[in-house]
Each structure stands twice: as C-alpha cells, then as structure tokens.
Amino acid sequence: AAVFRPRIAPAARPAAPRTPVRATAASPAGEPEKKKSFMESAKSLIPTKTERKKLIPLTIMFFSILFNYTILRDTKDVLVVTAAGAEIIPFLKTYCNLPGAVLFTIMYSNLSNKFSRETLFYICIVPFVMFFALFGFWMYPNISWLHPTEYINSIAAGLPPNFAPPLAIFKNWTFALFYTLAELWGSVVVSLLFWGFANEVTSVQEAKKYYPLFGLLANVALIFSGQYVRIVSDIRRGLPEGVDGWALSLKYLMGMIVVGGAVIIGCYRWMQTKVLTDPTVFTPNQTKKSKTKTKLSFGESAAYLANSAYIRSLAALVICYGMSINIVEVTWKSRLREAFPDPNDYSAFMGAFSTATGCITFGMMIAGRFIFEKFGWGTAALITPTVLGITGILFFGLTLFSTQVAPAIALLGTTPLMAAVFVGAAQNILSKSSKYSLFDPCKEMAYIPLDAEQKSKGKAAVDVIGNPLGKSGGAMIQQILIFSLGSLAASAPYLAAILFGIVILWLARAKSLDKQLG
C-alpha cells in the first residue's frame, strides 16, 4: 500500500507587481488602510435590524434546547445511578443508546420522505416533550407497579451477582427509557433539528459572524440550568416529613422541560411564519448550498486508516479521548452515589457541577485563542490529555489508597470519599472544558493541511471508526471487568492502569501529529 503523507500546498510565490489602484478621496494613494478601532470592531458585531429578526428567535431556541439538555443530562444520571449504581451505565450505552440511535435514524429517514421539513420538526420534538412530561407527572409516581422488581429479583437470585447491571435495565425500565431519550435529545434536537435548521436559514457571512457566539451561549445556558437544577433539588428541605421530595423536584424539572419545549416550538413556528416569509430577512439563494459529502463504509474507512499514518494518528486522538473520559466518568459516578445516595442530594450536586462546567468552559474558550496564538497547535493538543491524565491519576489514587491517605485528608476537614468526589468533579470539568476549547479546534485544524480528497475521506474515516470506538471502547472495557470482577470498585486498579496507558498513547500520537504538521 502506498505510504500516506498529507499533501500540503507549497508556499505561495511572490505575487507579480500589480497596476497601482487609482487614488480616491476616501483612500489617498500611498496611505495604508486605516485599522478599525476597538469600538468600531465591537459595533460591527452588533446584528442589524434584519439580522436581529432572525437571530433573536434562533438564540432563544438554542438557549432553551441546551437549558433542557442540561436538566435531562443531570436527571438521567440521578435516576439510574441512585437506583442501580454506576455499573449500569456501560450497559445502557451499549444496549439502549446505540439501538435507540439506530432506530431513530431509520425512522427519521422514512419520515423525511413523507413530510415537509417543518412538519418533521414537530414530529420529532413533540414526542420527546410529551414523554418527559408523562414521566415526571405519571410514570415516576407509579414506578412501584410499573417496575417488575419482584420478578427480576427472582431471576437474579438464580444468577451470579455479575449479572446485576444488565438485569437492572429491565428492573428499572422506565429509568432506562428516560436515560436513552435524554441522550437522544443531544444528538436529535441539538445536532439534527437545531443546527440543521440554523444552517438552512443562515447565510455563510452570518454564520462566520455569529456561530462562535453560540458556543459562548451554550455555556451560559449550562450555568443557568445548573442553578435551576440545584435550587429545585433543594426544595425538599422545606417539606414536611413523609413527603417524597425527589418526586416533587422531578415534577418541577420536567415541568421546565415542557415550558422549554413550548418556547422552542413557538420560536420555530414564528420563524416559519414571520422570518422565512420575509424576503428582506431570508432569501433561499443566501443559504449555503449543500455539498456532496464523502461517505465511507466501515470496511472502506478501515482500509483508508491502514494506509494513512496521519489519519491514524488523528483517529487515535478521538478514540483516546472517548475511552479515557468514559473510564473516569463512570467510576466517579459510582463514588458520587456513595457520597450522595439520596436523589435530591445527588441532583443538587450535579446542578452545581453543571454550573461550574459552564463557567470554566466559558473562560477556557476565551483563553483557548491565546494558547493557540502564543504556544501553537502542539502545546494546545497536549493540554487535554495532560489534564485528564493528572486529574485521573489523582482520582484513582484517592480511590485505591483511601485508607493510607485518610489521616492527611482528615487534616483538610474532609474524608477520602468526598476528596475523591471533588477531585473527580474537577477532573470532569477540566477535561470537558479543555475538550471544547482546545481538543475540538485542534482536531479540526489537523485537517487543514490536507488536500480536498484527503480531507474529505480522512474526516469520513474518523467519523465512522474513531467516534464509535471512542464512545463504546470504554464501555466495553468496563462491561468485561464488571462481569469478571463483579463491580466497578473491584475494577478500579485495572481501570487506572488502562487509563494511564491510554493517556501515554494519546500524548505520543499528539506529538507525532504535531511533527507531521510541521
């Protein structure tokens, strides 16, 4: 097979002298073009009146979608982890999330051939909102007879304890369904529905100008929704004895999902009737023309990776991130359950966690530009694995050597368990914030030196193989260890060693890619 090297365009030759442009009153001959002042640059970012008519409803839609997503993401973990332990998560990702995504893709493809884009939007989002309302106000209050607890317990009695996590999916099937649909909200409503619509109604010039601001807005939504989750989860403190505080908190959380869903649908409908029908705001020829995307099968992707050291290194970065964050995150959630066994306490902590993630990521996105300009691609690419590796080692160290470090931890006024919880939280926050602000831009920049064919096929290969392996690789490792050893706690030493190996590989591939980029 031919050795793959990125075909980088040669440096441009000096341009031939051009005929001098005739001087004008506005631009006298020989005078350099005047740079814009800070105020002029800031003023240019303010949307015009016609742009505001389009961008304001889009902004409200995006904020509401991500506000809901944070609530759902925090709540799904509270439900499954407090009910069945963090050991259930790898099995949910493999046997619920993956089939759910495949099933939705098939349904969406069929429906898109029968309905208009507007109708398809409503068909997709309304069932989500209806289910979450039904879950909060009817399903959860009736789980005592909806969940086949006694039947599954009788089956579990005749099986080894290692089968407890997969059996817990059937035992808590409404929680598993909630978990799956909450995960699908991110890929369906955020990626497919919103960004598909935004790309349809936004011109290239508007996208370049305002899409980066949407990234900052995402973290603002994370901050506000995290605070809402925390406040609602603390509501039980003022309730009389015997009242199920988590059931009441869940109604407030799912009630806000309904409100957010109504806002999303209202903004979308307003865009359809008031914006897309206004020729001064939207004309179809302003939008970006669709380009044919290179699609490779799994076999073609594997063959392309086999012949391309450069793309293999890039795919390795994606796989290593997915596996390492999954390994640490699930183990951290098992410790979190030990520290906060009550759903309200767990939910309040997750709300504060989401708020902190939004704040840190907001700052990191601003700092990311400085890091790229000052230190370059190589340093920026090494920050995420370094952060994840150091914080991961600290977390597993507190988990594995809790007895030995207990006296030192006691001097700080806490316990090894709480120290592990907070170090694990810091690890997740710093890893995700560096991922959004540094890892993702580094990944996209790595495609720039390639020619059009290599760029298209390389990205397709990474999408087909890198992303799925990164997401499922960590889950499969955890499933094997749980079946072999019985629990995440018993698997911790092996997970720590695997994490260390993944981070070393990640750093090596990042350095190799930096050298190839030159």
Side-chain angles (χ1 to χ4, degrees):
V3 178
F4 175 92
R5 292 185 179 86
R7 295 194 285 271
I8 302 174
R13 296 189 181 93
R18 292 180 295 176
T19 304
V21 179
R22 185 172 56 190
T24 63
S27 179
E31 288 188 12
E33 185 181 351
K34 186 180 179 181
K35 291 185 178 181
K36 289 183 179 181
S37 67
F38 174 78
M39 291 302 297
E40 288 173 333
S41 299
K43 189 176 180 180
S44 66
L45 295 176
I46 300 175
T48 63
K49 184 178 180 180
T50 55
E51 288 176 336
R52 288 197 296 270
K53 188 174 181 180
K54 181 193 301 182
L55 290 171
I56 289 175
L58 273 178
T59 300
I60 296 173
M61 277 183 67
F62 190 55
F63 182 91
S64 301
I65 288 170
L66 293 177
F67 189 96
N68 279 7
Y69 185 38
T70 303
I71 293 175
L72 295 173
R73 191 169 52 188
D74 291 346
T75 304
K76 70 178 176 60
D77 287 336
V78 175
L79 289 169
V80 300
V81 173
T82 57
E87 287 83 357
I88 194 177
I89 293 177
F91 296 89
L92 285 170
K93 288 182 180 293
T94 303
Y95 306 112
C96 293
N97 292 1
L98 183 59
V102 172
L103 181 62
F104 177 84
T105 302
I106 296 171
M107 292 175 60
Y108 186 84
S109 298
N110 292 331
L111 292 172
S112 63
N113 295 325
K114 299 178 182 179
F115 298 98
S116 67
R117 198 174 188 90
E118 180 182 1
T119 303
L120 189 59
F121 183 93
Y122 302 135
I123 290 175
C124 289
I125 196 169
V126 169
F128 277 100
V129 177
M130 290 179 63
F131 170 79
F132 294 126
L134 184 68
F135 182 89
F137 291 90
W138 182 76
M139 295 179 79
Y140 186 83
N142 294 287
I143 57 172
S144 59
W145 61 271
L146 284 174
H147 286 182
T149 305
E150 293 183 4
Y151 175 68
I152 297 299
N153 286 343
S154 65
I155 295 176
L159 294 172
N162 311 38
F163 286 86
L167 287 175
I169 296 176
F170 298 98
K171 182 179 178 180
N172 303 281
W173 68 270
T174 63
F175 296 172
L177 183 58
F178 185 101
Y179 190 98
T180 302
L181 291 178
E183 285 281 326
L184 281 176
W185 179 277
S187 55
V188 174
V189 182
V190 179
S191 301
L192 180 63
L193 298 184
F194 174 78
W195 283 114
F197 178 62
N199 290 335
E200 180 186 359
V201 302
T202 309
S203 67
V204 174
Q205 292 74 19
E206 290 170 338
K208 290 179 180 178
K209 188 176 179 181
Y210 299 116
Y211 275 15
L213 299 179
F214 281 175
L216 297 177
L217 181 67
N219 295 294
V220 174
L222 196 62
I223 293 168
F224 278 91
S225 55
Q227 284 301 297
Y228 179 77
V229 171
R230 185 186 63 80
I231 292 169
V232 169
S233 300
D234 283 337
I235 201 171
R236 57 81 188 264
R237 300 187 189 280
L239 297 176
E241 197 70 29
V243 177
D244 188 346
W246 175 236
L248 182 60
S249 297
L250 200 56
K251 289 179 180 178
Y252 280 107
L253 292 170
M254 296 304 102
M256 184 55 72
I257 297 296
V258 175
V259 172
V263 171
I264 296 163
I265 293 171
C267 288
Y268 184 81
R269 180 59 183 166
W270 194 87
M271 290 279 292
Q272 294 290 331
T273 57
K274 303 295 184 182
V275 176
L276 302 190
T277 56
D278 186 348
T280 64
V281 180
F282 171 77
T283 52
N285 59 6
Q286 283 182 341
T287 56
K288 301 169 283 296
K289 294 182 179 179
S290 61
K291 296 180 179 178
T292 303
K293 201 174 181 182
T294 302
K295 293 183 179 180
L296 302 178
S297 67
F298 187 89
E300 291 171 333
S301 299
Y304 194 79
L305 288 174
N307 293 328
S308 166
Y310 186 87
I311 298 298
R312 282 202 306 273
S313 295
L314 188 54
L317 302 189
V318 176
I319 294 169
C320 288
Y321 174 82
M323 293 181 67
S324 55
I325 193 67
N326 186 280
I327 286 172
V328 179
E329 189 175 39
V330 174
T331 309
W332 170 62
K333 287 176 181 176
S334 70
R335 303 292 285 168
L336 193 57
R337 185 202 185 196
E338 293 181 45
F340 303 106
D342 181 82
N344 279 98
D345 293 333
Y346 194 114
S347 182
F349 183 90
M350 291 303 297
F353 169 81
S354 295
T355 298
T357 302
C359 292
I360 299 298
T361 304
F362 190 93
M364 282 291 292
M365 291 185 76
I366 296 173
R369 182 177 179 181
F370 169 79
I371 293 172
F372 278 109
E373 291 180 351
K374 185 72 174 176
F375 302 103
W377 189 95
T379 300
L382 294 175
I383 289 177
T384 303
T386 301
V387 167
L388 203 152
I390 292 173
T391 54
I393 290 172
L394 287 174
F395 169 73
F396 277 109
L398 288 169
T399 300
L400 296 173
F401 304 104
S402 57
T403 304
Q404 291 85 340
V405 301
I409 297 295
L411 297 175
L412 301 175
T414 186
T415 63
L417 174 60
M418 291 306 300
V421 165
F422 284 111
V423 169
Q427 189 275 336
N428 273 268
I429 292 170
L430 293 173
S431 298
K432 289 179 178 179
S433 62
S434 62
K435 190 256 186 187
Y436 299 143
S437 58
L438 297 172
F439 179 81
D440 287 345
C442 280
K443 181 184 68 174
E444 297 305 321
M445 287 179 187
Y447 291 111
I448 293 175
L450 308 180
D451 64 23
E453 181 186 0
Q454 293 171 345
K455 189 181 298 182
S456 179
K457 289 186 177 180
K459 192 167 181 61
V462 171
D463 288 344
V464 171
I465 291 184
N467 286 330
L469 280 180
K471 292 177 181 178
S472 61
M476 290 303 299
I477 290 172
Q478 289 165 336
Q479 289 179 53
I480 293 170
L481 290 175
I482 289 170
F483 268 124
S484 303
L485 304 173
S487 68
L488 279 173
S491 307
Y494 304 95
L495 291 173
I498 292 170
L499 174 67
F500 184 75
I502 291 172
V503 170
I504 294 297
L505 174 63
W506 187 352
L507 291 168
R509 291 296 89 198
K511 289 181 179 179
S512 172
L513 201 56
D514 185 36
K515 290 180 180 178
Q516 294 178 70
L517 281 168

